[in-house]
Amino acid sequence: MSLRVFPLGGLGEIGMNCLVLEQRGEALVVDCGVAFDDRGLGVDLIHPDFAALQGTRVAGLVITHGHEDHIGAVPYFLRRFDVPVYGSRYALGLVRQRAAEHEVLGHARLQDVPPRTVARIGSFDVEPIRVTHSIADATALAIRTDAGLVVHTGDFKFDETPSDGETFDVQRFEELSREGVRLLLSDSTNVDVAGPTGSEQGVGVALDRIVGGAEQAVVVAVFASNVHRLRMLGEIARRHGRKIVPLGRSVVTHARVARETPRSTGEGAGQPYLQWPSDLVWPADRARELPRRAILGVASGTQGEESAALARLARGQHPAFDLSPGDVVVMSSRVIPGNEAGVMRVIGDLLRRGVDVRTWWSDRAVHVSGHAHRDDQRRMVEMVKPRGFIPVHGTLHHLSRHAALARDLGVPEVCVLENGDVADVDGDGLRKGGRVRSGRVHVFAGRTLPESVVHERSGLASHGGAHILVHVDALGCLAGEVILATHGVLDDELDADLLVVARRAARAAVEELSSPAGRARPAVPPPDDEIAEVARQAVRHALGRVLGFKPLTTATVLRVPR
Ligand SMILES: [Zn+2]
Ligand SMILES: [Zn+2]
């Protein structure tokens, strides 16, 4: 009895997590996340290419937790596969709140599976296990397959004192370990960070100290999905006689879902994840009515996103209120690699306003990661004692280092996969075997952008575009104007001379084709596509010689009567 495991996203990259387990011609999909394109091409999001699932029977989709890189692609997945979605209550709450944006979610079958209960999904038995992470209601999965017991950690860290009291279910992991785990798939993100990960409560203490010492308005920028932190900020606001002022749509959305979703486990089971009494929360549009020392703003935009609340506050363009000297802004976050420039721009804008800016660089305790550091990763492997190991959730660098760690810890079978690689798991071993189709699907304004369009946008973004229109007669001879228009290449007025040169080059090329100098006219007049191509090449060449780059150029031929 064998099992095939193949990632469609999240392995060999950070983001877009999506992993498939397949047995008896039937697939179980674990997580369905998105990634973002940082090339400035206007792409809204990227989701995995699901083509590899086309030939198999998809039994269901199971979600480990509610972060975008695990749930963001659910609507796009459900358009292709009408199957039930299983997951923790809070994650499904976040999926559900998008129902209005995505029609397909209106009739989606969302099934809440609490930790320590088992869902039968096709031929797989799936049991969520409570783990701690930077979002509420995060789970690992124990999946019973034909090849044996598979444990997928989801995203995790060991937080000994989680602020919501929902503790890591170490006991259940140990029970499964005694039963024998065939395969462990574990979060690799922080393999380079030494030591244990640290608790959210330490962040609470640090934030409390900063807010307690502030004389004026305080704004704390957070990942809005971190309900633990939202809850602690509520407690801090109450302690220091301040109101919570939500700044940014994602803060409002996450706070709403967390206030509406009852907890499934732990001491406060049945209570909502977030209990911000209504007299604690003050609407942003009335923030100017509050004394400044009563404001505790909670803002989105920790990664320097230009349109997010924090960046707008920093630029003095947020309608809620203006930051002024003596106010404190805390960035309770770390910078995701790739976002440094944007974050520094926001910090610069804040400093220019005279704001006291606190960051992870100045105050280490204002943030802890949600992902297991190396010590926590080691502890996971030692606790589960798997026979086989596949590192997940990371670039190839992270995966390779995590694999080496597992080998050092004595795991007998270790396999590194990237998106599209297939691992076969059976009684004989764990082997890489073949590939399935995998790729990235770009979405803009709710629609899929074909690969060719993304490629074109990339060309336009880097080199601009030019279009040339050539009028010819039935014989292919020039018959009127050659018109050239450029976009994002040059200033048509300032560079008029260059446009003349390029047009002249196009004319010469077309003339040469229809009536070559010193040779007989061709017996058959040149076809449109040939004329267009010589004109196009002539323009590219003429512009390229002067500018040093060749814009994306298209050409149209128009036949006119003489
Ligand atoms: Zn996560
Ligand atoms: Zn993740």
Side-chain angles (χ1 to χ4, degrees), residues 207 210-221 240-245 247 287-288 290-298 310 313 320-330 350 353-358:
L207 294 177
I210 292 171
V211 174
E215 303 285 331
Q216 296 193 57
V218 180
V219 173
V220 180
H240 299 286
R242 289 175 183 257
K243 302 281 187 199
I244 290 282
V245 181
L247 301 163
R288 285 175 207 279
L290 283 174
R292 294 194 75 79
R293 59 163 305 129
I295 294 176
L296 178 53
V298 179
L310 184 66
L313 279 165
F321 64 97
D322 296 314
L323 288 168
S324 52
D327 290 340
V328 179
V329 170
V330 186
L350 291 168
R353 300 195 157 262
V355 169
D356 177 5
V357 184
R358 307 294 186 84

Side-chain angles (χ1 to χ4, degrees), residues 17 65 67 69-70 133 155 371 393:
N17 296 287
H65 65 287
H67 276 147
D69 59 326
H70 298 259
H133 181 44
D155 293 3
H371 294 276
H393 208 288

Side-chain angles (χ1 to χ4, degrees), residues 36-81:
F36 296 97
D37 188 296
D38 56 7
R39 292 175 295 169
L41 303 181
V43 171
D44 294 328
L45 56 91
I46 301 169
H47 69 71
D49 183 347
F50 302 118
L53 293 169
Q54 211 54 277
T56 47
R57 191 164 67 253
V58 178
L61 166 64
V62 56
I63 298 294
T64 59
H65 65 287
H67 276 147
E68 280 295 291
D69 59 326
H70 298 259
I71 65 166
V74 171
Y76 305 95
F77 177 81
L78 291 180
R79 281 186 203 169
R80 294 279 292 273
F81 307 98

Side-chain angles (χ1 to χ4, degrees), residues 512-536:
E512 170 66 19
L513 190 68
S514 56
S515 24
R519 280 184 284 136
R521 211 174 245 272
V524 184
D528 285 6
D529 53 356
E530 203 175 321
I531 298 170
E533 184 57 18
V534 296
R536 197 179 78 83

